[in-house]
Amino acid sequence: DTEVTQTPKHLVMGMTNKKSLKCEQHMGHRAMYWYKQKAKKPPELMFVYSYEKLSINESVPSRFSPECPNSSLLNLHLHALQPEDSALYLCASSQVRLQDTQYFGPGTRLTVL
Amino acid sequence: AQTVTQSQPEMSVQEAETVTLSCTYDTSESDYYLFWYKQPPSRQMILVIRQEAYKQQNATENRFSVNFQKAAKSFSLKISDSQLGDAAMYFCAYRQGGSEKLVFGKGTKLTVNP
């Protein structure tokens, strides 16, 4: 089973709202990732968690706050976003062995009004 | 820094025909991994095929195969017997051994004509 699930599928929020994106995997992977993808562009890495600890933050603005409560779950908390933050947010997971493949979820389409 | 170049923004193929998507990369490392991902309009990134740089044999997965030319730093994807469901954006990606980062090319949009 190579399934990564993400909720919600779509999210519309105002610039003053607080919302969260959720990602879950049950493949026993200990590395999890958040990517941002704008239309017709490749994904851009935002954060990497390894063994539930943040290992990479690609200079992402503080209005994005990741959280990894356990080895199966990854959240992305959103607050005071800007319209330019509208994008597809993809979650991925992999084994921590660095040669291993990343498996992606279906994404959350975020619109910031 | 490593870069991945996909020189074909768009490609089209007739159903049942064969198409090859190009990818070149730039690295001075010897330990790395290459991937092709497919992203259909449904949005999910799906792994198509992967290649370890230390393996000389080209990877194959059913109708999908790669032509890995290490000296030329080329990693093309061949899709045989194209099907309508193959229509998608295809991304070539590079991962250096010891790094958690995937470096993506800009993608090639593949259209399959019936």
Side-chain angles (χ1 to χ4, degrees), chain A residues 56-72:
Chain A
I56 294 179
N57 177 342
E58 290 286 283
S59 302
V60 179
S62 59
R63 57 186 183 269
F64 295 91
S65 176
E67 178 196 20
C68 191
N70 59 56
S71 60
S72 301

Side-chain angles (χ1 to χ4, degrees), chain A residues 9-10 33 37 42 48 55-56 58 88 98-102 104 106-107 109, chain B residues 33 35 37 39 43-45 47 50 91 95 98-102 104-106:
Chain A
K9 290 184 178 180
H10 302 274
Y33 311 77
Q37 187 179 24
V48 180
S55 60
I56 294 179
E58 290 286 283
L88 180 67
L98 294 175
Q99 68 272 29
D100 278 357
T101 300
Q102 292 183 25
F104 285 81
R109 175 76 64 192
Chain B
Y33 305 85
F35 306 86
Y37 283 92
Q39 189 176 35
R43 309 175 326 199
Q44 182 151 11
M45 294 278 282
L47 176 70
R50 70 172 253 162
F91 291 100
R95 187 175 190 181
S99 171
E100 295 161 305
K101 294 185 181 182
L102 267 179
F104 287 93
K106 291 186 175 181

Side-chain angles (χ1 to χ4, degrees), chain A residues 33-92:
Chain A
Y33 311 77
W34 280 117
Y35 288 86
K36 173 182 178 180
Q37 187 179 24
K38 302 286 273 186
K40 300 183 180 181
K41 299 289 187 182
E44 299 173 10
L45 183 65
M46 300 175 72
F47 303 104
V48 180
Y49 273 83
S50 179
Y51 293 108
E52 296 88 68
K53 294 190 188 312
L54 184 65
S55 60
I56 294 179
N57 177 342
E58 290 286 283
S59 302
V60 179
S62 59
R63 57 186 183 269
F64 295 91
S65 176
E67 178 196 20
C68 191
N70 59 56
S71 60
S72 301
L73 191 57
L74 184 67
N75 297 319
L76 186 63
H77 303 297
L78 314 172
H79 174 54
L81 294 192
Q82 304 297 310
E84 59 264 29
D85 296 322
S86 298
L88 180 67
Y89 288 84
L90 294 165
C91 174

